[in-house]
Short mmCIF file of all heavy atoms in Angstrom, two decimals:
data_model
loop_
_atom_site.label_atom_id
_atom_site.label_comp_id
_atom_site.label_asym_id
_atom_site.label_seq_id
_atom_site.Cartn_x
_atom_site.Cartn_y
_atom_site.Cartn_z
N GLU A 1 70.09 -43.52 107.86
CA GLU A 1 71.20 -42.79 107.27
C GLU A 1 71.33 -43.15 105.79
O GLU A 1 70.97 -44.27 105.39
CB GLU A 1 72.50 -43.09 108.01
CG GLU A 1 72.51 -42.59 109.44
CD GLU A 1 73.88 -42.71 110.09
OE1 GLU A 1 74.83 -43.14 109.39
OE2 GLU A 1 73.98 -42.39 111.29
N PRO A 2 71.84 -42.24 104.95
CA PRO A 2 72.00 -42.56 103.53
C PRO A 2 72.84 -43.81 103.33
O PRO A 2 73.93 -43.94 103.91
CB PRO A 2 72.71 -41.31 102.98
CG PRO A 2 72.33 -40.21 103.93
CD PRO A 2 72.23 -40.86 105.27
N ASP A 3 72.32 -44.76 102.54
CA ASP A 3 73.00 -46.04 102.30
C ASP A 3 73.33 -46.75 103.61
O ASP A 3 74.30 -47.51 103.69
CB ASP A 3 74.28 -45.84 101.49
CG ASP A 3 74.01 -45.28 100.11
OD1 ASP A 3 73.00 -45.69 99.49
OD2 ASP A 3 74.78 -44.43 99.65
N GLY A 4 72.53 -46.50 104.65
CA GLY A 4 72.79 -47.14 105.94
C GLY A 4 74.08 -46.69 106.59
O GLY A 4 74.61 -47.39 107.46
N GLY A 5 74.59 -45.54 106.18
CA GLY A 5 75.87 -45.07 106.73
C GLY A 5 77.05 -45.87 106.24
O GLY A 5 78.05 -46.00 106.95
N ALA A 6 76.94 -46.41 105.03
CA ALA A 6 77.99 -47.30 104.50
C ALA A 6 79.36 -46.65 104.51
O ALA A 6 80.37 -47.31 104.76
CB ALA A 6 77.62 -47.74 103.08
N ALA A 7 79.41 -45.34 104.26
CA ALA A 7 80.71 -44.67 104.19
C ALA A 7 81.40 -44.63 105.55
O ALA A 7 82.63 -44.51 105.62
CB ALA A 7 80.52 -43.25 103.66
N ALA A 8 80.62 -44.73 106.63
CA ALA A 8 81.19 -44.67 107.97
C ALA A 8 81.23 -46.04 108.65
O ALA A 8 81.48 -46.11 109.86
CB ALA A 8 80.38 -43.70 108.83
N PHE A 9 80.99 -47.09 107.90
CA PHE A 9 80.97 -48.45 108.47
C PHE A 9 82.34 -48.78 109.07
O PHE A 9 83.36 -48.62 108.42
CB PHE A 9 80.63 -49.46 107.38
CG PHE A 9 80.20 -50.80 107.91
CD1 PHE A 9 78.86 -51.17 107.88
CD2 PHE A 9 81.12 -51.72 108.41
CE1 PHE A 9 78.46 -52.42 108.35
CE2 PHE A 9 80.72 -52.95 108.87
CZ PHE A 9 79.37 -53.31 108.85
N HIS A 10 82.34 -49.23 110.31
CA HIS A 10 83.59 -49.62 110.97
C HIS A 10 83.81 -51.12 110.78
O HIS A 10 83.00 -51.92 111.23
CB HIS A 10 83.54 -49.29 112.46
CG HIS A 10 83.42 -47.83 112.74
ND1 HIS A 10 84.48 -46.95 112.58
CD2 HIS A 10 82.38 -47.08 113.15
CE1 HIS A 10 84.10 -45.74 112.89
NE2 HIS A 10 82.81 -45.78 113.24
N PRO A 11 84.88 -51.51 110.12
CA PRO A 11 85.10 -52.94 109.82
C PRO A 11 85.46 -53.75 111.06
O PRO A 11 85.84 -53.20 112.10
CB PRO A 11 86.24 -52.92 108.81
CG PRO A 11 86.96 -51.65 109.08
CD PRO A 11 85.93 -50.66 109.53
N TYR A 12 85.36 -55.05 110.89
CA TYR A 12 85.64 -55.99 111.99
C TYR A 12 87.07 -56.53 111.84
O TYR A 12 87.28 -57.75 111.82
CB TYR A 12 84.66 -57.15 111.96
CG TYR A 12 83.22 -56.81 111.66
CD1 TYR A 12 82.63 -57.18 110.45
CD2 TYR A 12 82.43 -56.16 112.60
CE1 TYR A 12 81.30 -56.90 110.17
CE2 TYR A 12 81.08 -55.86 112.33
CZ TYR A 12 80.53 -56.24 111.12
OH TYR A 12 79.21 -55.96 110.85
N ASP A 13 88.06 -55.65 111.76
CA ASP A 13 89.40 -56.16 111.42
C ASP A 13 90.53 -55.71 112.34
O ASP A 13 91.60 -56.33 112.36
CB ASP A 13 89.76 -55.78 109.97
CG ASP A 13 89.81 -54.27 109.74
OD1 ASP A 13 89.55 -53.48 110.68
OD2 ASP A 13 90.10 -53.88 108.59
N THR A 14 90.35 -54.66 113.13
CA THR A 14 91.47 -54.06 113.85
C THR A 14 92.06 -54.99 114.90
O THR A 14 93.26 -54.93 115.19
CB THR A 14 91.04 -52.73 114.50
OG1 THR A 14 90.42 -51.90 113.51
CG2 THR A 14 92.21 -52.00 115.09
N VAL A 15 91.25 -55.84 115.50
CA VAL A 15 91.79 -56.83 116.45
C VAL A 15 92.92 -57.62 115.81
O VAL A 15 93.95 -57.88 116.45
CB VAL A 15 90.68 -57.77 116.94
CG1 VAL A 15 91.26 -59.01 117.63
CG2 VAL A 15 89.74 -57.04 117.91
N PHE A 16 92.76 -57.96 114.54
CA PHE A 16 93.71 -58.84 113.87
C PHE A 16 94.84 -58.07 113.18
O PHE A 16 95.99 -58.52 113.17
CB PHE A 16 92.97 -59.71 112.85
CG PHE A 16 91.78 -60.38 113.46
CD1 PHE A 16 90.50 -59.85 113.30
CD2 PHE A 16 91.92 -61.49 114.28
CE1 PHE A 16 89.39 -60.44 113.89
CE2 PHE A 16 90.84 -62.08 114.89
CZ PHE A 16 89.57 -61.55 114.70
N THR A 17 94.52 -56.90 112.65
CA THR A 17 95.54 -56.16 111.91
C THR A 17 96.42 -55.29 112.80
O THR A 17 97.55 -54.97 112.43
CB THR A 17 94.89 -55.26 110.84
OG1 THR A 17 94.01 -54.31 111.48
CG2 THR A 17 94.09 -56.10 109.84
N LYS A 18 95.91 -54.92 114.00
CA LYS A 18 96.68 -54.01 114.84
C LYS A 18 96.81 -54.47 116.30
O LYS A 18 97.90 -54.42 116.87
CB LYS A 18 96.06 -52.61 114.81
CG LYS A 18 96.13 -51.95 113.43
CD LYS A 18 95.67 -50.51 113.46
CE LYS A 18 95.74 -49.88 112.06
NZ LYS A 18 97.11 -49.85 111.53
N LEU A 19 95.71 -54.92 116.93
CA LEU A 19 95.81 -55.26 118.35
C LEU A 19 96.66 -56.50 118.58
O LEU A 19 97.56 -56.49 119.44
CB LEU A 19 94.41 -55.47 118.95
CG LEU A 19 94.40 -55.84 120.45
CD1 LEU A 19 95.07 -54.77 121.29
CD2 LEU A 19 92.97 -56.11 120.93
N VAL A 20 96.39 -57.58 117.86
CA VAL A 20 97.18 -58.80 118.06
C VAL A 20 98.66 -58.55 117.78
O VAL A 20 99.52 -58.96 118.58
CB VAL A 20 96.62 -59.97 117.22
CG1 VAL A 20 97.61 -61.14 117.21
CG2 VAL A 20 95.28 -60.43 117.79
N PRO A 21 99.04 -57.89 116.67
CA PRO A 21 100.46 -57.59 116.47
C PRO A 21 101.06 -56.76 117.61
O PRO A 21 102.22 -56.98 118.00
CB PRO A 21 100.47 -56.81 115.15
CG PRO A 21 99.30 -57.32 114.41
CD PRO A 21 98.25 -57.54 115.47
N GLU A 22 100.29 -55.83 118.17
CA GLU A 22 100.79 -55.03 119.28
C GLU A 22 101.01 -55.90 120.52
O GLU A 22 102.02 -55.78 121.22
CB GLU A 22 99.81 -53.90 119.60
CG GLU A 22 100.19 -53.05 120.81
CD GLU A 22 101.47 -52.26 120.61
OE1 GLU A 22 101.88 -52.04 119.45
OE2 GLU A 22 102.07 -51.86 121.64
N LEU A 23 100.07 -56.79 120.80
CA LEU A 23 100.23 -57.70 121.94
C LEU A 23 101.43 -58.62 121.74
O LEU A 23 102.19 -58.88 122.69
CB LEU A 23 98.95 -58.52 122.13
CG LEU A 23 97.72 -57.73 122.57
CD1 LEU A 23 96.48 -58.62 122.53
CD2 LEU A 23 97.90 -57.14 123.96
N GLN A 24 101.62 -59.10 120.54
CA GLN A 24 102.77 -59.95 120.25
C GLN A 24 104.08 -59.19 120.40
O GLN A 24 105.07 -59.73 120.91
CB GLN A 24 102.64 -60.53 118.84
CG GLN A 24 101.50 -61.56 118.72
CD GLN A 24 101.22 -61.97 117.29
OE1 GLN A 24 101.39 -61.17 116.36
NE2 GLN A 24 100.76 -63.19 117.10
N ALA A 25 104.09 -57.94 119.99
CA ALA A 25 105.29 -57.11 120.13
C ALA A 25 105.62 -56.88 121.60
O ALA A 25 106.78 -56.64 121.95
CB ALA A 25 105.09 -55.78 119.42
N ARG A 26 104.62 -56.97 122.46
CA ARG A 26 104.84 -56.80 123.91
C ARG A 26 105.10 -58.13 124.61
O ARG A 26 105.10 -58.20 125.83
CB ARG A 26 103.64 -56.10 124.53
CG ARG A 26 103.40 -54.69 124.01
CD ARG A 26 102.44 -53.96 124.92
NE ARG A 26 101.94 -52.73 124.34
CZ ARG A 26 101.22 -51.84 125.02
NH1 ARG A 26 100.93 -52.07 126.30
NH2 ARG A 26 100.79 -50.74 124.45
N GLY A 27 105.25 -59.19 123.83
CA GLY A 27 105.65 -60.47 124.40
C GLY A 27 104.58 -61.50 124.56
O GLY A 27 104.83 -62.60 125.09
N MET A 28 103.36 -61.22 124.09
CA MET A 28 102.29 -62.21 124.21
C MET A 28 102.48 -63.30 123.17
O MET A 28 102.71 -63.02 121.99
CB MET A 28 100.92 -61.55 124.06
CG MET A 28 99.76 -62.49 124.29
SD MET A 28 98.17 -61.64 124.49
CE MET A 28 98.36 -61.02 126.17
N GLY A 29 102.37 -64.54 123.60
CA GLY A 29 102.62 -65.67 122.71
C GLY A 29 101.36 -66.23 122.08
O GLY A 29 100.24 -65.78 122.33
N GLU A 30 101.55 -67.26 121.27
CA GLU A 30 100.46 -67.85 120.52
C GLU A 30 99.38 -68.43 121.44
O GLU A 30 98.19 -68.32 121.16
CB GLU A 30 101.01 -68.95 119.61
CG GLU A 30 99.98 -69.63 118.74
CD GLU A 30 100.61 -70.67 117.82
OE1 GLU A 30 101.84 -70.64 117.62
OE2 GLU A 30 99.85 -71.52 117.33
N VAL A 31 99.81 -69.05 122.53
CA VAL A 31 98.84 -69.65 123.45
C VAL A 31 97.95 -68.59 124.06
O VAL A 31 96.72 -68.77 124.18
CB VAL A 31 99.58 -70.44 124.55
CG1 VAL A 31 98.61 -70.90 125.63
CG2 VAL A 31 100.30 -71.64 123.95
#
């Protein structure tokens, strides 16, 4: 793919920016 598909690269961040906050909002604790 052109530039290895750089424009469509999916970052490794959603677990931390969205999933963990969602789990915490539902009552999941630090442990």
Side-chain angles (χ1 to χ4, degrees):
E1 294 188 4
D3 297 321
F9 197 104
H10 296 287
Y12 319 110
D13 61 359
T14 308
V15 165
F16 310 99
T17 61
K18 295 187 181 298
L19 180 60
V20 168
E22 177 65 21
L23 293 172
Q24 291 171 328
R26 297 195 192 188
M28 185 167 284
E30 182 178 342
V31 171

